[in-house]
Structure formats: structure tokens, C-alpha cells
Amino acid sequence: QVQLVESGGGSVQSGGSLSLSCVASGFTYCMAWYRQVPGKEREFVASIHSDLIATYAESVKGRFVGSRDNAKNTMYLDLNSLKPEDTATYLCAAKNGGNCAGSGYSYWGQGTQVTVSS
């Protein structure tokens, strides 16, 4: 069992930036960020393999930058040029098999809220 704890959410104006962190209790090959808005399906944001290759959703490509520190079992997400439509609860996820940009994540954090005002 891997436990995940996110931090770094907050409120920012449109065009601003935030940085999120996710600390895992153990190593996993795949780590990812998803986001969820009440009443909508959970949306893939970015994934980062243990070899540090990142994959992004089209909606955030060029604005968000993911990274991870395997020695610290920590993943990061820099959110830049934020838009009101980026407002959501951002969840960290982890798994040890399959395509990191695919589904099937086994472990989930509780999430951290990001709110972008216009």
C-alpha cells in the first residue's frame, strides 16, 4: 500500500502560477496528476515515469510542468498561465504497471484545491 499526500494548492488570479507537490510513502514507476470538478469526470493532467519522462493532457501542455525526485518519492507540478477553467481539486496518483499516461492507477491522494479567479 502506498500513501500519497498532496500539498501546495491555493487561490490565484488568472495568469498566475502555483506549485503542487505529492509525497509518496514508497516508490512507484508511474505517478500522475489528475483533477476533478464536482459533477464532472476525473481528468488526466500529467504523468511522470520513474525515468522522468512526462506526458501531458493537451489542455495543459505548454503551461504545466511536471517533475519528480525518485530519491524523495516526490512528484511536483508547476502550474503556469493559470486559467479559471483550471479550477479543480488536483489529485496525485501512483501505480507500478502499465502505461503511465493510461488508466488503472491504484493509489490516490486526498487532493489539493486549486482555484483560479478571473
Side-chain angles (χ1 to χ4, degrees):
Q1 188 77 8
V2 176
Q3 296 181 334
L4 304 169
V5 179
E6 304 96 335
S7 62
S11 297
V12 66
Q13 289 191 329
S14 181
S17 298
L18 285 172
S19 292
L20 308 182
S21 299
C22 171
V23 180
S25 62
F27 175 82
T28 57
Y29 285 105
C30 295
M31 297 185 76
W33 290 99
Y34 282 74
R35 64 188 181 186
Q36 188 158 26
V37 175
K40 294 188 177 182
E41 288 191 5
R42 191 171 291 178
E43 177 189 17
F44 170 81
V45 175
S47 65
I48 308 168
H49 192 274
S50 57
D51 60 8
L52 307 185
I53 293 176
T55 303
Y56 301 95
E58 285 299 321
S59 59
V60 306
K61 196 174 291 184
R63 300 189 297 123
F64 291 7
V65 179
S67 60
R68 62 185 282 180
D69 184 335
N70 291 327
K72 296 180 179 179
N73 291 330
T74 301
M75 175 178 63
Y76 307 94
L77 187 68
D78 291 326
L79 294 72
N80 303 304
S81 301
L82 281 162
K83 305 174 182 180
E85 51 263 43
D86 294 318
T87 295
T89 297
Y90 283 70
L91 301 116
C92 175
K95 64 178 179 177
N96 272 318
N99 183 349
C100 293
S103 60
Y105 275 85
S106 307
Y107 309 109
W108 292 87
Q110 293 297 311
T112 184
Q113 178 67 33
V114 170
T115 302
V116 185
S117 58
S118 58

